[in-house]
Amino acid sequence: MLSSQTDWKPPDGLRYPSPRPVQLRAQGIALVCVATFLPVAAAAIGWLSADQRHREIDRDRLLQEQGVDATAVVERVWKAADKSQTRMVSYRFATPSGEVSGQSRLEEQVWRGLHPGDRLAIRYVPSKHEINLPAMGAPGPVGAWVVWLSLAMLLLPAVVFGILIRRQWRLLAEGVPTQ
């Protein structure tokens, strides 16, 4: 039989008037650590993504403004051992100061037709030979949306975890015990 409302007493931990002292357990501490780590990771990944994007934009600007066309010889065509099997090509080309090697990602339709020994039109910066790309099929800089998406993917869970922790904290500290 259920006791009447007047006989019921809250458990010992809930007899304090509001707000009660609250402590996090191991799972709560782990969630706080994750919620703290995610914004730090978002800042680092966002900074690295934005930096990479700016370097690619600068590279493309230099190639457009100062670039010289050349013909390279394909040395190797392969798929990188990454999740998306990035299509890669390595090549060699002659400059006035000597022979230079390069490698680049390529779009599938250009990559598919290449074989070692084939000729490949490239563009390079004479003052910085390491800045070179195939004239066609090389992907451009990542879009700004990629940087923002990477930030959102890490910040959104941190915000949700923070809201969940705060909600549970308030319930424990200020909630009214009931039978």
Side-chain angles (χ1 to χ4, degrees), residues 61-98:
R61 182 184 47 76
L62 274 173
L63 282 169
Q64 188 166 12
E65 292 173 358
Q66 302 173 17
V68 173
D69 293 327
T71 301
V73 176
V74 175
E75 290 190 321
R76 182 174 172 220
V77 179
W78 77 99
K79 286 184 181 178
D82 58 5
K83 187 173 159 183
S84 60
Q85 293 191 326
T86 306
R87 289 150 184 86
M88 300 291 295
V89 63
S90 67
Y91 48 86
R92 295 184 74 73
F93 60 98
T95 68
S97 58

Side-chain angles (χ1 to χ4, degrees), residues 14 18 28 31 38 59 62 95 100-101 104 134 136 141 155 166 172:
L14 298 177
S18 275
L31 202 55
L38 287 175
R59 175 202 66 202
L62 274 173
T95 68
V100 177
S101 295
S104 175
M136 292 178 49
L155 289 177
R166 179 67 182 141
L172 291 170

